[in-house]
Each structure stands twice: as structure tokens, then as C-alpha cells.
Amino acid sequence: MDKIYEPALHFREVDYSVGDIHILKKITGSFPKGKITTLVGPSGAGKTTLLKLCNGLISPTSGDIFIHKKPIESFDPIELRRFVGIALQSAPMITGTVFQNLSLPLELRGEKLSEEDAIRFLEDVGLEDKFLHWKTDDLSGGQRQKVSIARTLINRSEILLLDEITSALDRTSLHEIEELITKINQKYGVTIIWITHNLDQALSIGDYTWVMMGGKVIETGESELLKSPKNELVRQFVQGDLS
Amino acid sequence: MTYVTLSITLIFVVIPLVLSRTLRLGLEKDTIIATIRSIIQLLAVGYVLKFVFDSENPLYIFLMVALMIVAATQNARTKGKAIKGITWKIAVTLIFVEVLTQSIMLGFNIIPATAQYIISTSGMVIGNSMVLSILFLNRFTAEVESHDDETELILSLGGTPKQAINRQLINAIKASMIPTIESQKTMGLVQLPGIMSGQIIAGADPVQAVQYQLLIIFLLLTTASVTSILLGFLSYPSLFNQRMQLLRK
Ligand SMILES: Nc1ncnc2c1ncn2[C@@H]1O[C@H](COP(=O)(O)OP(=O)(O)OP(=O)(O)O)[C@@H](O)[C@H]1O
Ligand SMILES: [Mg+2]
């Protein structure tokens, strides 16, 4: 990582524990502004925890997080969460229809989403307009993920956190979503942090990649370079010997 | 009723004991404890009330009501251990409901300002308020736990704690009030309410008894709604911290 870039988010010696469980250990590093950083690592590595720290759903036990060089605590929590949007791993839905779920971000600030706008967001994630009035309980896992992505996009955040948003998608949908996110990144300069289990995806779509294991970041760098890693653990992980 | 006839009423305790024994329900011990407790507590209350009524000293009325509130708070707080500061929140709720209902009843001269009326209506209000608090807290903690993903979702989209917990709060408030409303629908048809039965047995005019019972039904509706809503609004903020994060367990 020799290139000079401006960090959108910066972690300095961040620890996170719940009771006796030490989940994140001394995380230090930056997520470059306007770039896509992918986050990979085995299950339980602490990826989701790290993402939730970025938009203040949880706070570090110790250490500091900076967003555009300002300490994260200096932001109002509500403003922060709109500015740094997240698509949660489980794609949770509020009980009701797809439209109610898409309306949620605006409704929370007392605004309304028009049906035309909602349909446009659905099209963006590759869902037909007929789904607009479906109950979310009737959606497949993949369709839920798409609704969840669309809902996250509605806040038009400058930083987007994506947690395994393609894990239930077929190949075609997967490529559609990858294209959509790349477009958002390139057209609007949105900074993206993207967790994925799919290593090929992480290395192909990312500008930079972080590899996490056991609550630590064991490697960071340009995604391209990680295809032939120097670190032994990373090499094993990339070759699929670890997971 | 003489003490001899009163002892004969113990037949009604023996029946469940025998049934529990033969069907191996294992409820004998609890039944006996419940019986002994109710005998001791009610007799004690009877003598205390007699003393308070005879003395007509407002201080004793105040002490009786305060005692009821302390006992009710103690009883209800075990259901809300997950919520920080639940003890004083329940106490504030009970005091508020009691002051509100008594001010209306005394202010409009609905009941005379005597120990007899104040203490019996307070007993009903505080007792019901306690049951409502327990129902509310049980339901609210269960709702919060089972829908924590929705709460997190709403927070993550920039919602306030109030918005994030609103559905669970409303559900718990509604659910805790339903038994009060439902039982009042069949009142008089299926069940003669306890106090009315008591008054009629004691020889009161049934119409007069009905009037008092109506007062109590209305009173308990206010008690139920004010208790659930006030306790709800006092409780939910403790589930979050300053940074608007949901506190777990
Ligand atoms: N609130 C919590 N209480 C206790 N343990 C937790 C809590 N949150 C996370 N953990 C633990 O921290 C570790 C990291 O969790 P995290 O969800 O961040 O992993 P992950 O890398 O996202 O895994 P996955 O790929 O399976 O989603 C796990 O072992 C998890 O059990
Ligand atoms: Mg995860």
C-alpha cells in the first residue's frame, strides 16, 4: 500500500470485547475514500463486528475510529448512520410489504417514498415491480437480500457497508449486484466496505482487501496483489485450506 | 359467619389437595402454602383495617397506601430485572396511577373521603396496576428479545431508539391491556365481580352494588391503560445507551 490516498474511515488500535470475549484485537488501518475495500476471513473472524463499529451500532471498547478525520463520537448517532449506511448480514425486514420496507428509511425522518421511486430502486437491484406489494415473508432469501440492498441505498449514504449481501444470490443476480455497486462507487464516488465469503469476488471487485482471522487483520493491500500473497496464513486462506 | 363455619370452608381446599394427590399434579405443597398465606395475610389485614377505620387518622390511611405500593413494587420488579432502574419506574407508575384515580374520585365527590373508601379503592387500583405492570414487563422483554434484529435494522437506518422499539412497545401495551378489556365485556353475564358479590352477600342493595361495581370497572380501565403506557415510556429508554445503541442482556 504505497499509494497515497485519503482515508474515509480510519481505525487506530481498536479493541472490541463483550464481557470476557475478546472479539476484535488492536485493529489499525484505513479504508480509502471513494474506493471499494473488500473484507474476507473465516466465519467468526470479526468481520460483521468491525462493520457495525463503522456506523456506530456498537462502540469500541478501546481505540479510536475516525470518519473523514473526525472522531466517530463527534458525530450525532443518527446523522452518522445515514451518512454511513449498512446492509445487515441477515437482511432483516420489518413485518409488512416490500414497499413498507423500502419506505422505512424516509419514514424514519418523516418523509414519504413515492411508488415510482420505490419501483426504480427495485429495478436497480433486479426485482420486478410486481414485488412492490408482496409481503416480505413471501420472498425468497435472494429476493430479501435484494430488497435489503435497495433499502440501504435509499439513504444515499456517502459510505456504504455491505455484509454478505450476495450470499443467497444466483450467478446472474450476483453479477447484477456487483455491477450496481461498482456503478454507485464510480458514478457517485461512494466509499464501499464489502464483506464477502467469496474470495474470487473479493479480489476481483475490490480495489483493496483486508484479510481477517481470529479478531485480527492479518493482511491488507491492493486486491490484485493478494492473489499471490506473501503471508503464509493468507496464502493458505486464499488457496482454500482454511475457512 | 362463625369461625366454625369458616373452618368448614376448608373443604374447598381439601378438594384440590385430593385431586392433586390422586392425579399426581404435585401441587399439594403450593396449595397448602397458598392457603396458609392467605389465611394469615387476610386476617392480619382485617385487624389492621379495623384499627385504621376506627381511628380515622389520615396518617394511617397514607401509611396503608404507601405499604401497598411498596409491596406491589417488590412483587412486580422481579419481572423487569433486565431493565435498569425498574424498581423506581414501577413505583413512580403505581404512585401516579393512585394519585390520579384518587384525585378524580375525591375531587368529584364520587366517593366519600373516609378510610373505608380510600383504602378499598386504592387496594384495587394498586393491585391491578401491579398485575398490569407484570403483564407488561413480561410481554415487553419477550418482544424486545425476539425482535432485536428489527430494532437493530431501524437504528442502522438512522431511526431513534423510540422508533426502533415502537412496535414492541405498542404490542406489549396492547397485549397487557387486553385481559382487562375482555373480562369487562362479559362482566355481569358470566361473572359477578368479586366486590359486588361481597356487597350483595353482606346485604347491600343490588342496584347500589352495581353502581359501585361500574365505578370500579371504569377505574380499572384507566388503571390498566395508564399503567402500561406510563411504565412503557419510562422503561424503553433504559434499553439503549447515550450513543443510541441497543444494550444486550
Ligand atoms: N454480542 C456478542 N456477544 C458475544 N459474542 C459475540 C457478539 N457478537 C459477536 N460475537 C462473537 O464474535 C465473533 C465474531 O463475530 P462476527 O459476527 O463479527 O463474525 P464474522 O466474521 O462476521 O462471521 P461470519 O462470516 O460467520 O458472519 C464470533 O465468535 C461471535 O460469536
Ligand atoms: Mg458476519
Side-chain angles (χ1 to χ4, degrees), chain A residues 122-188:
Chain A
L122 278 188
E123 279 168 0
D124 282 347
V125 293
L127 277 180
E128 297 161 56
D129 56 4
K130 69 166 187 195
F131 289 110
L132 193 62
H133 294 292
W134 276 38
K135 291 241 180 296
T136 50
D137 285 347
D138 298 334
L139 298 176
S140 71
Q143 290 163 340
R144 271 170 76 107
Q145 280 190 331
K146 290 179 179 177
V147 173
S148 167
I149 297 166
R151 190 179 52 196
T152 301
L153 297 181
I154 287 174
N155 269 338
R156 300 195 187 282
S157 311
E158 283 187 41
I159 299 174
L160 264 186
L161 313 171
L162 309 173
D163 197 348
E164 302 269 9
I165 54 166
T166 56
S167 60
L169 300 185
D170 57 74
R171 287 185 69 84
T172 321
S173 303
L174 180 94
H175 289 306
E176 274 172 19
I177 296 297
E178 286 179 351
E179 270 171 33
L180 172 71
I181 300 297
T182 314
K183 193 184 96 189
I184 290 171
N185 166 250
Q186 285 168 357
K187 195 163 160 196
Y188 304 106

Side-chain angles (χ1 to χ4, degrees), chain A residues 47-48 89 163-164 195:
Chain A
K47 306 181 294 294
T48 297
Q89 186 166 15
D163 197 348
E164 302 269 9
I195 295 177

